[in-house]
Structure formats: structure tokens, C-alpha cells
Amino acid sequence: MTETNPGPSRLRPTLLPHQRAKILPTAVLLIGAVYCLIPVAWIVVASTKSRAELFSTFTFSPGSGLLDNLHDLFAYEDGRYGQWALNSLLYAGLGSLLCTLISTVAGYAFSRYEFPGRTVLFYTILGGVLLPGMLLAIPQYIIMTKVHMVGSYWSVLLPGLISPFAIYLARVYADASVPLSTIESARIDGASEYRIFGTIALPMMLPGMVTIFMLQFVGNWNNFLLPYIMLSDESKFPINLGLYTLLSKGSGEPALYGIAIIGTAVSVIPLIALLLFLQRFWRLDMISGGLKG
């Protein structure tokens, strides 16, 4: 009995139907990821180049001016970039925190309370998702003018406290994570509505609140139109508006291009750090869901 060697076709692994079905979606996602990451990669590489290297070397070849660029960035106008960063943290951090709390309360109320006009009011608020921010900017400016808040920090903070999409997410998460039976049991035991919300519903909705906070923080951090309309004092600008002014001045002073590029690269770091920090809340939610199952 002789042993025959398997041919090349037999050695080649065959893909199962469900494995072949994943090839196209995976390829599309990879292409999309590359498309989104190329600008980020360019910003990171360009931030390492000196003024001479920025326009004279290959696009994706690292430079030797990273430390000098960082020094120039934080020394610009006696630390103006640091002031812009603090302003962005105020607008994005405090604004997102307040918006998350308001959205959580509203979403829980729409989810777990019956009151006249609930459905009409909810869909009226949800209709705000269809309105672009540019359409709302002028009415918001007029309102802030009437109350004499244009040019203040409040003119940027207040319009972002109510988010229709965040209220919608909070209601959906409350529907899924806060059982009615638990609420009824707490009411039977004599707990007040405030205590039920604070000690029972709020911890259950924490992962949803983290998601809302993250989305709002990114949106507020990258918000350009509202500060552009509301603010005229450069000391109150957020990072993105401050970098826009740098680029505008760069046409007459090319050295500012390098500062604007390194400033853009540095402005991404808080978003990455926040995402890495908040991931643990989503991971804990998935683990607790698996244990409950």
C-alpha cells in the first residue's frame, strides 16, 4: 500500500460560508479605517517637522522639530494655547456633564412616568434632531443678545445643555436597563421617587450616561460654529477656534502654520485619553450583563 502525497489544492485551507461572508464587510471597514486615520497620521508626522522641513520633505517622513514646535506652541502669546485648552475643557467638560444629567432625568421621566402629552412632547423634542446646528445658531445668538450674554462663557455653555439625541438615548437606555418591577417594589417598600431615581435608576443607567457624556464631550470639544458666532474675545476661544485664528494669521506669517499643526495634534490627546478612561465602564457593563445572563 503506497502513500500518495496530497496535491496543492488539498493543502489549501477552505473557507466556510460564514467566513467568506465576513471578508467584504471586513475589507470595507479596513478601507474606512485607513481613510479616517490618514489625516490623523499626517497631523502627527507633520507636527514633528521644523518650519524648513514642513514644505521640503516627504509628507510622511518624520522631522526633527517636535520639541521646538511644542515650545513655540505653549509660548505663543504668553501661553494663549493653554488658555484655549482650559476654555475647551470648560465648554466640553462642564457642558457635557450638565447635559448628561439633564438628559438622564428627562429620559428616565419619559420612560417610567405616565403624564398627559408625554408622547407628543417626546416626539417634539426628538424632532430637534432633524434641525442642523447652523439653522439654530442665529436664533440662539438673538436669544443670547436679548439676555446680554453674547461674548460670555454662558453663551457657549447654555445652548448645549439640551440635546434631543441625548434625551432619546437616555430614554432608550432607561427602557432597557431599569425594570418596572424594581421600581414598583421600591415604591411598595415606601421609597420616594427621588430616592428611587438616585439609588436605583441612576446606577443602572450609568453606562448609558457614560455614552451620552462621551458623545457630548466630543461634540462640544469640536464645536466651532457656536463659539465663532458668540465670542469675540480671543481669551475665551476654545482650541478649535483659536487654531482657526492661527491659520488665518498664517497667510501673513508662515511660521504660525507649524504652531497650528502641533496645536491640532495636541488637541486630540484629551479625546483619546477620555475614550481610554471611559472604556472600563462599558466593559464592566458587558461583564455584569453576562453574569446576569
Side-chain angles (χ1 to χ4, degrees), residues 151-229:
S152 66
Y153 290 107
W154 290 109
S155 63
V156 179
L157 280 171
L158 290 180
L161 296 185
I162 305 298
S163 171
F165 185 65
I167 293 174
Y168 168 76
L169 286 181
R171 178 180 179 175
V172 170
Y173 201 86
D175 288 338
S177 63
V178 184
L180 283 172
S181 58
T182 303
I183 296 176
E184 292 299 331
S185 298
R187 287 171 179 166
I188 293 173
D189 290 339
S192 64
E193 297 297 327
Y194 295 105
R195 184 176 182 183
I196 292 173
F197 175 74
T199 60
I200 298 177
L202 208 59
M204 290 180 174
M205 296 179 65
L206 182 60
M209 295 172 64
V210 170
T211 302
I212 293 172
F213 178 82
M214 182 65 195
L215 293 176
Q216 288 298 122
F217 189 94
V218 173
N220 291 335
W221 186 270
N222 295 324
N223 189 11
F224 173 82
L225 181 62
L226 189 63
Y228 180 76
I229 292 176

Side-chain angles (χ1 to χ4, degrees), residues 64-132:
S64 58
L66 177 61
L67 296 180
D68 291 335
N69 291 337
L70 287 172
H71 176 269
D72 293 341
L73 174 66
F74 290 101
Y76 174 73
E77 292 190 0
D78 297 326
R80 181 56 58 89
Y81 184 83
Q83 180 64 46
W84 292 341
L86 292 176
N87 293 338
S88 289
L89 287 175
L90 174 66
Y91 298 138
L94 180 60
S96 301
L97 180 61
L98 294 177
C99 178
T100 300
L101 294 176
I102 293 172
S103 301
T104 302
V105 173
Y108 175 78
F110 279 120
S111 173
R112 290 297 176 248
Y113 290 106
E114 295 285 347
F115 53 88
R118 182 184 73 163
T119 303
V120 174
L121 180 59
F122 176 74
Y123 283 108
T124 301
I125 294 175
L126 189 59
V129 177
L130 305 177
L131 299 177

Side-chain angles (χ1 to χ4, degrees), residues 27-47:
V28 172
L29 290 175
L30 287 175
I31 294 173
V34 171
Y35 176 79
C36 294
L37 291 176
I38 283 179
V40 179
W42 181 87
I43 285 292
V44 172
V45 173
S47 65

Side-chain angles (χ1 to χ4, degrees), residues 237-276:
F237 284 179
I239 284 182
N240 50 6
L241 186 55
L243 294 175
Y244 172 78
T245 60
L246 280 179
L247 290 176
S248 301
K249 297 176 182 177
S251 58
E253 192 175 347
L256 294 180
Y257 282 128
I259 298 178
I261 291 173
I262 186 67
T264 303
V266 172
S267 69
V268 179
I269 295 177
L271 298 180
I272 298 175
L274 182 67
L275 179 61
L276 294 177

